Every structure is written in structure tokens, then in C-alpha cells.
Amino acid sequence: MSQMSVVKICLFGSFGWDRGAVGVAGAGRRLADQLGGELHAVVLGPAADELRAGLAEISQRVVVAGQAELAEYQPDVALGALAELCRGDGVKAVLLGNDTYSQELVPMLAARLGGSSMADVQQIEVEDGRIRCTRSAYGGKASAVFELRRDPAVMWVRSRALAPAEPTGAAGSVEETTIDLPTPRIKITGRQQEEQQGVRLEDAKLIVSGGRGLGGPEPFEKDLRARAEVIGAEQGASRAACDAGWVPPNWQVGQTGKKVAPQFYLAIAISGASQHLLGMGDSKVIAAINTDAEAPIFKHCSFGIVEDYKRVVPLLTEKLAQLRG
Ligand code: FAD
């Protein structure tokens, strides 16, 4: 009798049942269905009821390693725990989200499990029992399809842009487990909590981002912040604006910044370099304001205004506030 295929999804209890977890779970469920197998969820650290219930609704088995040592991320401890929880016969794939922990763990976990690995996966298909995944290439200018031939295929997916799973109705079992954790080889001497105002950029529904064309930090403070607040949007920026020190580095959207997928993304004075597009191309509706009609961003947006932002932003904010109201 052939062995049942298993897809594992790995989540961090500290993130809860957020958009990222929902997206990983959706991708895992669909992959398990394509393989005709089971979906098993693995949670590191204490897990809230909402996370347990959300996972149990769509997976056959949920295993929570709720030990206190796993509550805060420690790379080698998390790696040891995941390797322990993901090892096993029949495990075809292991999926993680697009948070920084997962991005760090995926290649190491693949090596530990003797599998193959892929980053930034946008789509997963199964053909003749083989897992193929699509991701962007050349800084977002092309798409590439890879076949992951060695099991398990360990991937991090663009979780926030992926559809949730349809509830299966079958309540999966939820089990607590305690793992023998490795002695940490890395000593964390201190932690700095990112100052969080409003929702995280990755979870924002509306984002207003500014670029080099704003010319300095003042317009971010004076023109954008107040207006973003009016429409309840979070603020982002291009790398050029972050590198210039006009706004904090954690505002950066793009290949080397945050990957966002809001309902609406407004790019103000951002040219639309491929590295920026890579971080926000999954937005539902993209709009841009730019003085240059040839700016690449206009090729990727639903709405574009060729004009100086100083003239447009006040009018647009007023209109958006009315519509939102
Ligand atoms: P510019 O390209 O200089 O564009 C400014 C725009 O403002 C222009 O289009 C101009 O017409 C417009 N403008 C000027 N004045 C006005 C005005 N008054 N009103 C309206 N419009 C105006 N970039 C990222 O953003 N995120 C990343 O994660 C990232 N990662 C990178 C990784 C690598 C390995 C590399 C090599 C680059 C990366 N970059 C990234 C940098 C990227 O290539 C671009 O340099 C950067 O995105 C440009 O930022 P910008 O659009 O703000 O600036």
C-alpha cells in the first residue's frame, strides 16, 4: 500500500491567527488536497484558542509545542524543534510564511531534513506527483517554475497574498507536545522591540508609501502622515527614502523590505523599480502619483495621476476620506 502524503505547515504561536497564518494554512490545505494527503499543522510556542481553532478546522492534526523556551524566537532552538516535528515518513512538503523567522529557517530546515528548499513561493502545483512552485525571478521581471525533487520540499510562501482555505468541516485533533530542545548555540544578549504604531505594515489594508521624489523627511511628516491617518492607512516607503534616513528602515517595502498585500496601495513619488514592485505587486489595487508619465510604476497600477504630489495629495485625501465615510 502506498504511503499517505503529509503536508506540514509551521507557525509561530506569537503571531496568532493572522493573515500570514491564514495564507500558509490555505496553501497547505490546497497542496495536501492536490497530493491526496493530509495536512498537519505545527505550532511553536503557546498558541491562542483562535489559532488552534482556525487550524483544527482545516487540518487533520495540530501539534502545539507550547513550551516557554519556544515563546520567543531563538533560531537554533526553533530549528531543532521544527526538525523534530517535521521529520517523518510520507512528509512531502513543509510550508512556512513570509515572516523573517521563517525566511531564515527554511534553508536550514531543508538541510536538516535532507529535502529541497525554495523561497518566496507564489504558487504551488502538483504534476505527476511532483511539486512545482512558481516564484518571481530577475527582481520581479519574470516568473520561474521550479520542480522540487527531493522530499520534503521546504518552502516559505507569500502567505499574505494567498487565499485562505475553504473550511473542511472535519475537526482535526489538537495535541500538546513537549520536545527535547537543543542547547542554544546562539546567545541573545538583548532584544529591541520595533516601535509599533497602528497595525503591522504586512497586515495593513491600506498603505500610503512615499519615495525619493518627496525630497526629504518633512513631507513624510507633514503631508503624508496626517493624510494617511485621515483615511486610516499605514505608511510605507521606498528604499531610497529609507536609505536617506527620512523614515525608519522598517517602513521599507520591496525585495529587501516588507512584502505587503493591502487592498489599496498608493505610491507617491516612487518610480516603481522592480525591487520595489516585488514587495507590493500583490496589492489588490495600486495607484500612483508621479510627475513622470514614463515612470515604470504606471505600468503596474490601476489608477495613475501624472502630477506633482503637492497638488494632488490634499484633494485625493479629501475624496478618499469622503468615500471611506
Ligand atoms: P526614484 O527611483 O529616484 O524615483 C523617484 C520618483 O519620484 C521619480 O519617478 C520621479 O519622477 C518622482 N517625483 C519626483 N518629484 C515628484 C513630485 N513632486 N511629485 C510626484 N512625483 C515626483 N527599493 C525599494 O523600494 N525596496 C526594496 O526592497 C529594494 N531593494 C533593493 C535590493 C537591491 C539588491 C537593489 C540593487 C535595489 C533595491 N531597491 C529597493 C532600490 C531600487 O532599485 C530603487 O533604487 C528604489 O526603489 C528607488 O526609490 P524611489 O522610487 O523612491 O526613487
Side-chain angles (χ1 to χ4, degrees), residues 88-143:
D89 295 337
V91 179
K92 288 282 287 178
V94 178
L95 268 53
L96 288 88
N98 66 347
D99 53 273
T100 47
Y101 305 163
S102 299
Q103 292 177 19
E104 179 174 63
L105 288 169
V106 158
M108 298 193 282
L109 184 60
R112 282 278 176 102
L113 298 175
S116 42
S117 93
M118 187 54 61
D120 200 14
V121 171
Q122 292 163 294
Q123 200 182 324
I124 308 172
E125 298 291 340
V126 177
E127 268 187 46
D128 300 329
R130 293 197 188 260
I131 293 175
R132 290 193 176 154
C133 55
T134 307
R135 56 162 295 175
S136 64
Y138 301 113
K141 290 197 170 79
S143 284

Side-chain angles (χ1 to χ4, degrees), residues 211-212 238-239 252-256 269 271 275-276 290 308-309:
R212 186 172 6 226
S238 71
R239 176 159 158 182
Q252 185 183 318
V253 171
Q255 184 182 347
T256 42
S271 59
Q275 295 90 353
H276 187 79
N290 200 302
D308 190 322
Y309 81 89

Side-chain angles (χ1 to χ4, degrees), residues 38-62:
E38 292 196 346
L39 177 67
H40 296 179
V42 162
V43 182
L44 293 194
D49 289 347
E50 195 194 14
L51 176 60
R52 289 163 185 262
L55 291 172
E57 219 172 83
I58 55 150
S59 47
Q60 275 78 18
R61 192 173 170 216
V62 182

